[in-house]
Amino acid sequence: MRAAFMYGAGDVRIDTVPDPVIQQPTDALVRVVTTCICGSDLHPYHSMPAGEASPMGHEFIGVVEETGGEVSTVKRGDLVIAPFAWSDGTCEFCREGLQTSCLHGGFWATGGIGGGQAEAVRVPLADGTLVKAPVGEDSELLPHLLTLSDVYGTGYHAAKRANVGPGDKVVVIGDGAVGLLAVLSARQLGAEQIVLMGRHKDRTDLGRAFGATDVVTERGQEGIAKARELTGGHGAAKVLEAVGHMPAYEQAVGVVRAGGVISRVGAPQYEDAPVGFASLFGANITLTGGPAPARAYIEKLMPDVLSGAVQPGRVFDRTIGLDQTPDGYAAMDRREALKVLIRQP
C-alpha cells in the first residue's frame, strides 16, 4: 500500500510499504477513506532532524476490512471514526474519559503502528477505539465527521477544561482549525462573548460564522491590551490557547483575568513557561488543558454533525489525493490552506 512518511524537516514522501495485517485478536484492519493534515504535523515539518522515516497522520475515517477474533463492536463493512489515540476503553483512565492516558493504548504513527495518511491502518484495541458512523463512505458529511477524530474534539476539550458555560467571556488564541472549533465549542456551551485572536481574515471570518463576537488581529502587548479592553478591562475569565508556541502562551497570560482559567490544547513547543507569582500564582489563575481525549467526545458531538446543526468540516479548505500529500504540507506551511483533506479514490 501507499503511505506518507516524513524523512526530515520539509521532506514528506509517499512510499510503498507492506499492507497491514491482523496481529492481535483485538485488531481491526481499516481501509482509509478520508484523512487530513493537522496543524501539529507542521511541528516536525519545521524541526524534524533528517534520518529514519516516520509515518504520518493521526486523523482518519475508514471502512473495516477485517477484524480479529475478539472484536465485537465493529464488523467488516462498517464506516468508522478513529480518534487520534487508540485505547482499550476499559482501564481506569478510559472509564474516567481520559483515553489519551489509557494504560494499554497509544498514538498513531508511533511504536510500530502506522499513520492515518495511508491507504490502510491496523487498529489495535478496535473495540475501545473505533466508533461506527451511521453513514456511507460517499456521504457529504464525511469532512464534518472527520473533525471528530481530533480538531473538533480538541476545540471542545479546550472549552470543557476551562468550564465554559452560559454568559462567559472567552478569549480564543489562534485561528487555526483547533482555535476555530474552540470558538464553535464555546458558543455551543453558552459563552456570551468570544474574542478570537488571529490575523488571517479568511480564518477569522469563519470564526465569526462559528460564533466569535469580536476579532483581535493585533499581537503582543497591543493585542493583549485590546482583548482586555473588549472583555471589560480586567481580561477574560476563560482563555483557550490553541497554538502551542510561547508567544501564544504569553498572550494567554496577558489576557486572563484574576481568578480565571487558561486552557491549553495547542501542543506546547516549549518546556519552561511563566507560572510564578507575577504570572499565574499571585492572581489565582488556573492552568489546565492537554491532549484531548477525542474518543470521550465523539458520541456526544456526533448527533449535531449528523443533523447539520454544526458544520465543523468547514475548516477544510483544500482537498487532495494521497499522492499530493507533500504538496498539502507545503500549502499549510505557507498558510495557503487552513486544513487539508486527503480523499482516497
Side-chain angles (χ1 to χ4, degrees), residues 173 228 236-237 239 241 246 248-264 270-289:
I173 297 172
R228 293 182 72 89
V239 179
E241 194 273 280
M246 181 57 72
Y249 177 82
E250 292 171 341
Q251 213 162 247
V253 173
V255 302
V256 68
R257 78 187 299 277
V261 178
I262 296 171
S263 180
R264 299 182 306 163
Y270 51 85
E271 289 296 331
D272 299 320
V275 296
F277 203 104
S279 53
L280 302 188
F281 184 83
N284 283 280
I285 292 164
T286 298
L287 180 64
T288 186

Side-chain angles (χ1 to χ4, degrees), residues 50-328:
E52 187 174 345
S54 174
M56 296 303 297
H58 54 262
E59 306 154 273
F60 62 95
I61 288 178
V63 174
V64 176
E65 296 285 279
E66 185 182 349
T67 59
E70 295 180 12
V71 175
S72 61
T73 61
V74 296
K75 64 183 185 305
R76 179 180 173 85
D78 286 346
L79 185 81
V80 291
I81 302 168
F84 70 84
W86 47 274
S87 55
D88 62 18
T90 59
C91 79
E92 61 180 291
F93 293 111
C94 288
R95 294 196 303 271
E96 294 169 7
L98 197 60
Q99 288 89 340
T100 46
S101 294
C102 177
L103 295 173
H104 308 106
F107 298 86
W108 308 115
T110 62
I113 306 299
Q117 293 166 15
E119 292 184 311
V121 179
R122 178 176 73 88
V123 177
L125 303 175
D127 278 346
T129 301
L130 298 173
V131 179
K132 182 178 177 180
V135 299
E137 62 180 284
D138 59 348
S139 172
E140 294 181 354
L141 291 174
L142 257 58
H144 305 295
L145 291 168
L146 180 58
T147 64
L148 297 173
S149 183
D150 182 351
V151 286
Y152 187 11
T154 296
Y156 188 78
H157 185 61
K160 286 293 290 183
R161 292 293 291 175
N163 294 314
V164 172
D168 277 343
K169 296 180 179 181
V170 178
V171 170
V172 175
I173 297 172
D175 59 9
V178 170
L180 297 178
L181 292 175
V183 169
L184 175 64
S185 299
R187 174 59 69 199
Q188 285 182 290
L189 292 169
E192 181 177 286
Q193 183 183 22
I194 304 170
V195 178
L196 173 60
M197 301 191 75
R199 58 197 179 107
H200 303 88
K201 188 175 185 304
D202 55 340
R203 301 182 181 195
T204 57
D205 283 350
L206 181 55
R208 288 187 185 277
F210 281 158
T213 56
D214 304 276
V215 170
V216 173
T217 59
E218 295 84 355
R219 307 182 81 177
Q221 290 302 314
E222 187 179 1
I224 289 170
K226 186 168 182 179
R228 293 182 72 89
E229 178 185 357
L230 285 168
T231 52
H234 300 298
K238 313 290 171 70
V239 179
L240 315 182
E241 194 273 280
V243 180
H245 289 290
M246 181 57 72
Y249 177 82
E250 292 171 341
Q251 213 162 247
V253 173
V255 302
V256 68
R257 78 187 299 277
V261 178
I262 296 171
S263 180
R264 299 182 306 163
V265 294
Q269 302 304 296
Y270 51 85
E271 289 296 331
D272 299 320
V275 296
F277 203 104
S279 53
L280 302 188
F281 184 83
N284 283 280
I285 292 164
T286 298
L287 180 64
T288 186
R295 178 63 183 83
Y297 301 133
I298 291 176
E299 283 101 343
K300 178 178 181 59
L301 298 176
M302 194 187 322
D304 280 350
V305 173
L306 294 171
S307 72
V310 295
Q311 295 182 314
R314 293 177 66 186
V315 296
F316 294 110
D317 58 352
R318 183 171 300 192
T319 300
I320 61 175
L322 183 62
D323 287 338
Q324 287 76 51
T325 300
D327 297 332

